[in-house]
Amino acid sequence: MKLFRVVCLLCGLASSSFAIDREAFTITKYDLEIRLEPVQQRLGARGKITLRNDSTQPQKVATLQITSTLSWRSIKAEGKPVQFVSQPYVSDIDHTGALSEALVTLPAEVKPKEAVELEISYEGTIPLDATRMTQIGVPDELAKHASWDQISPSFTAVRGAGYVAWYPIATESADFSEGNSLFEVVDRWKAREARSEFKAILGLVGANDAGAPMLLCSGEGGASYSFESSRNHILRTDCEWKPLGLATPTFVAAYYETESKPPASLFGLADHKAGAAKYTGAFEPATKFVTEWFGQPSTPIAIADLADPHAASFESGTLLLVSMAAEDAKLAEINVVHEVVHSAISSARPWVYEGLAHFAGALDREKQDGRQAALDFLGLHREALVDLEKDVVASPQKSPSQPLATTFDETYYRSKAAYVWWMLRDMIGDEALKQAIHQYRAGDDKDPKYVEQLVGAAAKRDLGWFFTDWVYQDHGLPDFHVQSVHPWKNEKGEQLVTVTIENLGNVGAEVPFTVRFQGGEVTRRLEVRAKSTATTRVELPGAPTEIVINDGSVPESDLANNTFKIAAP
Ligand SMILES: [Zn+2]
């Protein structure tokens, strides 16, 4: 009889799981206690979470997912255990390519907009695991440099949702091999959780004998950390965000040596001393540069070393994880500049918060090696952006548009946003843009047009069309080509050329173009609105031979049609 009931419960859930809306609930509040035992690679968790039904239907079943190497121990509501079925769920949102999913039968139906609090506990291990990458053919070594999350005695670093579900999430399956599926699922999760409150008290047990370990978490207002010399103590640190915003809750435990230059703290590993010195050396010039452009840094920031010298760097809020093995002073300076910008400017808008920090990286490259180096830096992710924007234009159903103003997609709020700030700077000049940025206050940024108003006032210029095309809407990218060229001489015998540029795209821009002639070249700028043409006249010291549009400062969908040869008369 008992067996029969268990079987029936499973049938019931199996059939109802067909109709389960995994993204019906948003976890609006986390209050967790996490115990880490590096020697066993173990993580144990207990605490409370609040689930709000954000769907339009009443819900009787809630989905909770954690990484597949952790297991559910108990789930309670109002102090009483609730029924749940635990099952593996294939999804590339986790480094293991799978989740431990609990299908929880709630004590009562939860109506739309209503919430339920659950008491949960789960435990298991978090070893290094690159399955989601190796199973689609990424070579082992390469996959490990990207998928470095693990708890281990010598070095522990674990990132949250999108990497390792070390706290519960609730998502539809994501597939790495299927275009943007993974990123869409992660972006959707982040957008749903942006206003959630997250608190986890971490405790580290049983340090090994190589000195005093430190435990860091990427909490609000910089990484909190603690360390003690006694091996028997439990190190504790709080990770807390109110709200979570864009942060990915991340913790690190390692035998770090620290250097503090307020508001920055540096955590370096003993075998990366020379590289770490490049970072400390960059603090002062970076602070000076950032202060001039973005204002006085004040929020605490932290940069922590990754053990694997080839590990891909990672950032969450004001914590940057990057291997300091590379003794590259220029790279160290860009990374420090980026974080110091976060220390100087806070914003709830990703395109402002991250966009400005990436823009600062480009400014720094320009300072180091000139404009072309800055454009190459901006161009690092140009292809990814062009691909995304192509899909937006070709199939808006499949790839919904992502206006910068509201996007949670990294390619947009990092790469595209950096381009937007760079284009604004090219259009209005350093002084006007600095003035606008200095006046930016996160607390005043309530109206979507706030940034436009600051920039417009500083530049004394109406840039409404630019903000509409690049920030408020997403209609892809511009596509310029030379429509016609007319070289001629005036009555004084001076050489001129009349140039008409056409923009085939749905987005306007002010684009630079270069006219080459025997013995030199001149560069001018021309505003060409979406689906229009613009004409200008350029004086030259010699007969023109070629026109090249766009030096790379305007992201464009097609760069193959940008050069125009002028036949000799
Ligand atoms: Zn950043």
Side-chain angles (χ1 to χ4, degrees):
M1 185 65 190
K2 204 172 182 186
L3 179 70
F4 174 76
R5 268 157 76 177
V6 170
V7 169
C8 271
L9 172 70
L10 288 171
C11 323
L13 274 164
S15 58
S16 70
S17 78
F18 227 70
I20 281 176
D21 178 358
R22 289 190 161 78
E23 301 191 0
F25 286 100
T26 299
I27 305 177
T28 56
K29 197 173 172 192
Y30 291 83
D31 194 351
L32 302 174
E33 239 177 88
I34 305 283
R35 188 180 165 93
L36 304 170
E37 292 170 54
V39 177
Q40 286 88 35
Q41 303 195 288
R42 250 189 107 263
L43 178 148
R46 56 181 193 173
K48 287 178 184 162
I49 52 175
T50 305
L51 281 68
R52 185 184 62 215
N53 181 1
D54 279 347
S55 75
T56 52
Q57 304 296 321
Q59 302 289 338
K60 182 78 171 112
V61 174
T63 313
L64 296 177
Q65 302 158 337
I66 46 179
T67 179
S68 65
T69 52
L70 297 175
S71 312
W72 290 101
R73 284 287 165 260
S74 87
I75 303 174
K76 291 180 188 170
E78 291 155 8
K80 294 191 195 94
V82 292
Q83 283 182 331
F84 70 92
V85 173
S86 186
Q87 61 174 23
Y89 183 64
V90 173
S91 176
D92 289 336
I93 197 164
D94 191 78
H95 69 156
T96 61
L99 296 158
S100 293
E101 182 175 76
L103 299 174
V104 183
T105 306
L106 299 166
E109 244 182 16
V110 179
K111 295 199 180 76
K113 298 293 154 220
E114 283 185 356
V116 58
E117 189 185 78
L118 297 177
E119 236 176 284
I120 53 169
S121 88
Y122 53 90
E123 63 183 358
T125 58
I126 300 185
L128 188 76
D129 192 322
T131 306
R132 74 167 167 187
M133 300 188 86
T134 52
Q135 71 189 2
I136 57 163
V138 178
D140 236 29
E141 263 319 293
L142 230 72
K144 278 179 189 159
H145 299 324
S147 239
W148 38 255
D149 308 80
Q150 63 174 314
I151 298 176
S152 90
S154 58
F155 187 81
T156 291
V158 180
R159 296 167 285 185
Y163 299 90
V164 182
W166 61 270
Y167 48 84
I169 57 172
T171 55
E172 292 295 338
S173 177
D175 187 345
F176 222 152
S177 61
E178 230 177 75
N180 293 319
S181 155
L182 171 62
F183 304 104
E184 280 163 18
V185 174
V186 175
D187 294 347
R188 217 161 50 224
W189 170 254
K190 288 201 151 188
R192 281 162 59 209
E193 296 280 296
R195 287 173 193 283
S196 299
E197 291 179 13
F198 187 101
K199 184 178 179 188
I201 300 169
L202 297 173
L204 180 77
V205 191
N208 90 19
D209 48 11
M214 287 185 193
L215 177 62
L216 320 184
C217 186
S218 62
E220 201 166 28
S224 56
Y225 67 94
S226 52
F227 62 98
E228 287 177 54
S229 51
S230 166
R231 270 191 278 149
N232 301 321
H233 274 90
I234 295 178
L235 304 190
R236 288 169 73 90
T237 195
D238 292 359
C239 314
E240 192 169 1
W241 290 267
K242 282 181 180 178
L244 201 45
L246 274 187
T248 303
T250 298
F251 60 84
V252 187
Y255 294 84
Y256 281 133
E257 293 173 7
T258 62
E259 181 116 19
S260 178
K261 296 212 169 178
S265 301
L266 190 88
F267 301 88
L269 294 165
D271 51 348
H272 297 163
K273 267 204 172 77
K278 307 281 184 209
Y279 277 82
T280 26
F283 279 143
E284 217 179 283
T287 303
K288 190 166 169 272
F289 176 62
V290 169
T291 305
E292 189 192 313
W293 263 94
F294 304 90
Q296 190 68 42
S298 59
T299 306
I301 51 166
I303 302 178
D305 204 352
L306 288 171
D308 171 5
H310 304 289
S313 60
F314 170 76
E315 186 196 36
S316 174
T318 50
L319 172 69
L320 173 68
L321 298 177
V322 61
S323 171
M324 293 173 192
E327 291 158 27
D328 182 338
K330 285 179 181 178
L331 181 66
E333 189 176 297
I334 290 176
N335 284 336
V336 172
V337 162
H338 184 111
E339 296 314 307
V340 178
V341 172
H342 288 331
S343 176
I345 283 209
S346 81
S347 173
R349 295 188 194 278
W351 82 275
V352 175
Y353 186 73
E354 284 303 339
L356 280 177
H358 281 273
F359 165 62
L363 288 173
D364 192 56
R365 283 299 290 132
E366 185 184 59
K367 188 165 64 81
Q368 291 167 349
D369 293 313
R371 181 174 170 94
Q372 191 52 51
L375 298 180
D376 291 345
F377 177 81
L378 286 171
L380 288 174
H381 304 284
R382 199 189 72 89
E383 243 170 80
L385 175 61
V386 169
D387 278 351
L388 279 178
E389 294 283 24
K390 256 187 203 140
D391 292 346
V392 167
V393 176
S395 54
Q397 252 69 40
K398 250 182 82 193
S399 301
S401 72
Q402 301 251 21
L404 263 195
T406 52
T407 187
F408 275 84
D409 184 296
E410 286 207 50
T411 305
Y412 284 85
Y413 70 68
R414 291 183 189 270
S415 300
K416 187 175 181 178
Y419 271 116
V420 165
W421 289 107
W422 187 273
M423 286 188 285
L424 282 170
R425 179 226 189 187
D426 274 353
M427 289 162 79
I428 70 172
D430 287 12
E431 288 321 306
L433 188 56
K434 280 180 196 171
Q435 192 190 323
I437 294 171
H438 277 269
Q439 274 163 3
Y440 181 88
R441 298 286 175 275
D444 295 341
D445 188 356
K446 296 189 177 91
D447 186 325
K449 293 199 168 178
Y450 173 68
V451 174
E452 182 197 327
Q453 285 155 4
L454 290 181
V455 173
K460 298 182 179 65
R461 185 168 157 186
D462 180 9
L463 292 163
W465 66 272
F466 180 85
F467 277 85
T468 300
D469 284 9
W470 289 93
V471 181
Y472 310 143
Q473 293 173 8
D474 178 22
H475 293 150
L477 296 171
D479 177 16
F480 304 105
H481 77 118
V482 174
Q483 193 186 56
S484 68
V485 175
H486 171 56
W488 53 286
K489 283 185 177 158
N490 63 13
E491 60 277 14
K492 292 182 202 154
E494 290 160 340
Q495 178 71 55
L496 291 117
V497 63
T498 303
V499 181
T500 300
I501 295 176
E502 181 174 21
N503 180 356
L504 303 166
N506 292 314
V507 174
E510 189 188 285
V511 70
F513 66 97
T514 298
V515 185
R516 302 212 165 105
F517 52 88
Q518 286 279 313
E521 59 179 44
V522 292
T523 295
R524 296 281 183 274
R525 306 180 58 81
L526 191 60
E527 185 181 302
V528 196
R529 300 283 179 93
K531 297 271 180 217
S532 354
T533 59
T535 301
T536 188
R537 210 170 65 180
V538 185
E539 269 184 41
L540 297 169
T545 55
E546 188 180 69
I547 292 174
V548 181
I549 313 171
N550 197 357
D551 58 356
S553 55
V554 179
E556 204 184 319
S557 59
D558 181 8
L559 284 168
N561 55 357
N562 287 34
T563 302
F564 187 92
K565 302 256 183 233
I566 302 165

